[in-house]
Amino acid sequence: MNLLAAPWHEGGPGPWILLFPLVWTAGVIGVVTVLRRTVWRGRGGPWARPFPPRSDEQSPVAVLGRRFAGGEIDEDEYWRRLSVLDERFGGAR
């Protein structure tokens, strides 16, 4: 008789073996949660393709400023269109 083995064990792993998948699941969920809250925040996660940054030369406000500077539109037209852009894009300046 083995004195170190518990009588309910009978040589098998016992019901505690079901605890291992729960521990692994909790660990994976914990790592993903930490990464989402720190490293991946604002980038859409590891599967998101990074978008190239929008050039300031192509922004609607920059185009409007160039048209005003070039004399294509007058000051009243510039301010009117700029206010529309601010309403639509939420302060695109």
Side-chain angles (χ1 to χ4, degrees):
M1 180 172 176
N2 188 353
L3 296 176
L4 297 177
W8 63 87
H9 227 196
E10 302 293 326
W16 58 270
I17 194 72
L18 299 175
L19 187 64
F20 281 130
L22 294 176
V23 169
W24 279 103
T25 303
V28 169
I29 289 173
V31 167
V32 169
T33 301
V34 167
L35 289 175
R36 286 186 71 201
R37 292 182 178 265
T38 58
V39 178
W40 296 339
R41 173 165 266 164
R43 287 193 273 158
W47 46 85
R49 292 183 299 158
F51 293 107
R54 186 174 183 166
S55 173
D56 287 339
E57 296 176 3
Q58 299 299 322
S59 72
V61 175
V63 172
L64 183 64
R66 280 198 306 275
R67 289 186 64 197
F68 176 61
E72 295 178 39
I73 57 175
D74 63 353
E75 185 177 359
D76 292 333
E77 180 76 10
Y78 172 78
W79 288 112
R80 187 164 38 88
R81 290 184 183 212
L82 187 61
S83 67
V84 170
L85 288 175
D86 282 343
E87 289 175 10
R88 181 170 292 170
F89 297 110
R93 290 185 233 193

